[in-house]
Amino acid sequence: MCERKFRRQHSVGKYIVDFYCSEDKLAIELDGAAHYEEENIKYDMKRSWFLKSLGIRVMRFRNEDVLYNTDFVLKQIQNNFVTTSSRKRATPP
């Protein structure tokens, strides 16, 4: 299993992401019911666009999935880690 360090409540610009892994530039967002209201959907889209413009990948999960489908959520996150070999190929000689 890949070991990664995540920071909780990490600031990026004027936004705060729930969890952030700097090694993989990966933000994890946990969404409760309020995130599915029209105003909040627009806010989250704007926020995600900003993060993506910085090269940060954003993954969103419903709170219910984290609580009741934890293994699935963890597997999805692990599948989005940048592999060591990919990182080595991306590094200039």
Side-chain angles (χ1 to χ4, degrees):
M1 177 167 250
C2 300
E3 300 247 349
R4 298 294 197 274
K5 291 185 181 188
F6 280 86
R7 293 186 201 134
R8 191 175 64 165
Q9 299 295 300
H10 179 72
S11 295
V12 180
K14 68 177 185 174
Y15 300 106
I16 297 175
V17 297
D18 291 329
F19 297 95
Y20 181 67
C21 176
S22 60
E23 182 178 359
D24 289 286
K25 294 189 87 169
L26 179 62
I28 307 295
E29 292 293 313
L30 307 181
D31 295 342
H35 285 269
Y36 301 103
E37 296 172 6
E38 187 175 343
E39 184 177 321
N40 293 334
I41 290 171
K42 291 177 184 177
Y43 176 82
D44 284 344
M45 286 175 59
K46 180 180 174 183
R47 192 169 172 267
S48 291
W49 179 87
F50 172 76
L51 295 169
K52 288 176 185 177
S53 76
L54 298 175
I56 298 172
R57 293 173 296 124
V58 179
M59 296 184 73
R60 304 189 85 82
F61 296 98
R62 296 179 320 138
N63 286 347
E64 293 83 9
D65 288 332
V66 174
L67 291 172
Y68 302 113
N69 296 314
T70 308
D71 290 339
F72 170 78
V73 170
L74 292 174
K75 186 68 171 169
Q76 293 298 310
I77 293 168
Q78 184 177 12
N79 288 341
N80 277 276
F81 287 147
V82 177
T83 64
T84 303
S85 59
S86 295
R87 225 177 289 126
K88 286 180 182 175
R89 282 195 305 265
T91 305

